[in-house]
């Protein structure tokens, strides 16, 4: 049975062929850009919907925290699911969960329904909403170690597209057609994404030898909820320092992005469409950064650099540090970093913003970056010493 399964996986990959792999990767980029567009459409209307439903800043913080906690818990499990069931199943599951998410969000916009209850209920599918990590898993499986950083880096372009289109569409559609319109459009787009991913992405994207290694005879079948395996992977000497750098360096900029909707309404007094234009500007600058690093020196401060370049570098390092059978779990752990920020960010960010104002986010970023710089400055020296020994 194991040999037949490995043979079918080999036949699937061989049928896909070297010419078809770029097409699968391109399709993965398009699906990721579409889902990120829907996500930023939701971000652009959520604070205004919350205000319309009567939620204050504390209740809005609870809403964001609920979303963050559920995604934080779901990230590693989602990665394990992808390693065992395949990246296609994981991508399809993510789109289906997002469809339920946006359907409930659209229902919360209806005055005839209990909006607050449905708004919080819309967070329930979020443990399975990890389209970007699923896309990273497919690209990781279909690229070699040498080309992987560039391939993962192009997902930063998809992120920029999502910011631009999602922020523009969210603000424009909610202003012209009603606040429910972006949610309905996102629901339909994610249903389409589920169909495309299930019918066009190969069932198995890992090599046959890797698939066989994951199901060795005589060993008990690993569980998706095996927390010991997830912890073991995280505590590897080649993983833990990089993962801690990823968490610490991304936290300040993530903190600012979590609070951006509140800052745009209270500090800058922006409407939904105006906040969308500002987020689109961030997306354009991020796309410019991903196409030419020299433009970074002229156009953008450290915020966008930390949001795209840091993720590309650390994700590439972490997927290379583990075996091919564990890349999905590793990317699932990486996907938990931003939910961690969304979990504690609203509380910490609210306190900082209320007591110190907007500049405090820049001060925190500078302090954290300086400490990480000192850590990284000493780390290569110790590695050289280890190699010499």
């Amino acid at each position: 049975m194991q040999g037949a399964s490995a043979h079918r996986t080999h036949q699937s990959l061989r049928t896909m062929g070297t010419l078809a792999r770029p097409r699968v990767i391109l399709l993965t980029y398009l699906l990721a850009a579409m889902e990120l567009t829907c996500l930023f459409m939701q971000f652009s209307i959520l604070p205004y919907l919350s205000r319309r439903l009567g939620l204050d800043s504390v209740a809005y913080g609870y809403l964001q925290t609920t979303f963050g906690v559920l995604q934080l818990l779901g990230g590693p499990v989602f990665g394990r699911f992808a390693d065992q069931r395949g990246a296609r199943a994981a991508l399809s599951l993510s789109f289906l969960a997002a469809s339920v998410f946006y359907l409930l969000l659209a229902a919360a916009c209806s005055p005839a329904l209990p909006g607050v209850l449905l708004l919080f209920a819309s967070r329930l599918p979020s443990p399975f909403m990890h389209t970007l990590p699923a896309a990273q898993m497919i690209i990781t499986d279909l690229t070699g170690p040498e080309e992987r950083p560039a391939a993962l880096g192009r997902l930063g372009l998809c992120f920029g597209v999502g910011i631009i289109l999602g922020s523009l569409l969210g603000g424009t559609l909610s202003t012209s057609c009603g606040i429910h319109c972006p949610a309905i459009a996102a629901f339909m787009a994610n249903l389409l994404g589920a169909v495309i991913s299930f019918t066009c992405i190969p069932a198995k994207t890992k090599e046959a030898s890797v698939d066989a290694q994951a199901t060795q005879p005589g060993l008990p079948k690993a569980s998706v909820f095996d927390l010991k395996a997830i912890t073991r992977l995280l505590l590897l000497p080649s993983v833990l320092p990089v993962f801690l750098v990823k968490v610490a360096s991304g936290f300040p900029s993530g903190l600012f992005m979590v609070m951006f909707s509140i800052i745009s309404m209270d500090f800058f007094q922006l409407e939904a469409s105006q906040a969308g234009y500002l987020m689109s500007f961030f997306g354009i600058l991020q796309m410019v950064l991903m196409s030419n690093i020299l433009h970074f020196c002229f156009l953008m401060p450290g915020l966008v650099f930390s949001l795209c370049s840091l993720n590309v570098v650390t994700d590439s390092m972490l997927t290379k540090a583990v075996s091919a059978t564990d890349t999905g779990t590793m990317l699932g752990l990486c996907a938990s970093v931003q939910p961690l920020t969304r979990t504690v960010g609203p509380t910490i960010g609210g306190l900082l913003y209320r007591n110190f104002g907007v500049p405090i986010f820049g001060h925190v970023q500078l302090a954290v970056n300086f400490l990480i710089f000192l850590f990284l400055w000493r780390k290569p020296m110790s590695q050289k010493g280890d190699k010499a020994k």
Side-chain angles (χ1 to χ4, degrees):
M1 293 295 293
Q2 177 192 349
S5 175
H7 179 70
R8 286 194 299 269
T9 302
H10 180 71
Q11 286 293 109
S12 175
L13 292 172
R14 189 172 66 177
T15 301
M16 181 169 56
T18 57
L19 292 179
R21 287 194 183 199
R23 298 173 188 171
V24 174
I25 292 175
L26 176 60
L27 178 61
T28 303
Y29 288 144
L30 294 175
L31 289 173
M34 182 179 69
E35 199 279 333
L36 287 167
T37 298
C38 296
L39 186 64
F40 279 95
M41 285 171 61
Q42 181 257 159
F43 286 158
S44 65
I45 68 169
L46 187 60
Y48 300 93
L49 175 61
S50 300
R51 176 171 291 183
R52 197 182 79 171
L53 293 175
L55 298 182
D56 57 13
S57 59
V58 176
Y60 180 75
Y62 292 153
L63 182 68
Q64 293 286 73
T65 300
T66 301
F67 185 72
V69 168
L70 292 175
Q71 281 215 313
L72 175 65
L73 297 175
V77 175
F78 184 86
R80 293 277 296 175
F81 175 82
D83 281 334
Q84 296 185 16
R85 303 296 181 182
R88 184 183 73 174
L91 188 62
S92 302
L93 174 63
S94 178
F95 274 115
L96 289 175
S99 299
V100 178
F101 176 91
Y102 292 114
L103 181 62
L104 291 172
L105 184 63
C109 299
S110 173
L113 298 175
V116 175
L117 178 62
L118 289 171
L119 184 60
F120 275 89
S122 68
R123 311 293 107 175
L124 295 178
S126 56
F128 309 105
M129 290 174 53
H130 293 282
T131 302
L132 186 59
Q136 290 175 320
M137 294 168 197
I138 295 174
I139 293 171
T140 299
D141 291 343
L142 298 181
T143 55
E146 296 79 11
E147 56 182 341
R148 187 176 301 162
L152 290 174
R154 296 186 189 100
L155 280 175
L157 182 65
C158 300
F159 196 87
V161 170
I163 294 178
I164 296 170
L165 294 181
S167 301
L168 282 175
L169 289 174
T172 303
L173 290 176
S174 62
T175 302
S176 59
C177 304
I179 201 169
H180 64 282
C181 191
I184 295 176
F187 165 69
M188 298 175 64
N190 277 272
L191 274 183
L192 178 63
V195 174
I196 294 176
S197 59
F198 187 77
T199 56
C200 299
I201 300 296
K204 296 290 185 180
T205 53
K206 295 183 185 292
E207 296 290 346
S209 58
V210 175
D211 193 60
Q213 181 182 354
T215 56
Q216 293 180 0
L219 294 178
K221 187 176 180 180
S223 170
V224 172
F225 302 97
D226 189 353
L227 297 180
K228 290 184 178 180
I230 297 174
T231 305
R232 174 192 58 79
L233 193 65
L234 183 61
L235 295 179
L236 290 175
S238 57
V239 169
L240 186 59
V242 180
F243 189 81
L244 291 178
V245 167
K246 180 182 180 69
V247 172
S249 56
F251 184 77
S253 56
L255 195 65
F256 175 78
M257 296 306 295
V258 165
M259 294 299 300
F260 175 78
S261 58
I262 300 297
I263 293 173
S264 64
M265 288 193 302
D266 294 342
F267 187 78
F268 296 114
Q269 300 293 317
L270 299 181
E271 300 294 334
S273 58
Q274 294 172 324
Y277 298 150
L278 185 58
M279 287 298 295
S280 297
F281 175 69
F282 290 163
I284 292 172
L285 292 177
Q286 184 170 0
M287 291 177 66
V288 170
L289 172 62
M290 297 310 296
S291 62
N292 190 336
I293 192 64
L294 293 177
H295 292 175
F296 165 74
C297 302
F298 302 99
L299 293 177
M300 197 58 195
L303 176 61
V304 168
F305 182 79
S306 65
L307 289 176
C308 57
S309 299
L310 175 72
N311 288 332
V312 171
V313 172
T314 53
D315 288 352
S316 177
M317 292 175 65
L318 289 170
T319 54
K320 291 179 181 178
V322 300
S323 66
T325 58
D326 293 322
T327 54
T329 306
M330 191 69 257
L331 288 170
L333 287 168
C334 294
S336 299
V337 174
Q338 289 186 355
L340 175 63
T341 305
R342 287 195 293 266
T343 300
V344 300
T347 302
I348 298 177
L351 291 174
L352 292 176
Y353 175 60
R354 183 174 59 189
N355 293 318
F356 302 102
V358 175
I360 189 61
F361 297 104
H363 299 158
V364 172
Q365 181 77 73
L366 176 62
V368 171
N369 284 354
F370 180 72
L371 293 175
I372 292 176
F373 172 77
L374 294 179
F375 172 77
L376 295 177
W377 181 266
R378 298 185 62 183
K379 191 67 176 177
M381 300 301 293
S382 63
Q383 287 178 347
K384 289 180 181 178
D386 293 340
K387 289 182 179 179
K389 291 179 183 179

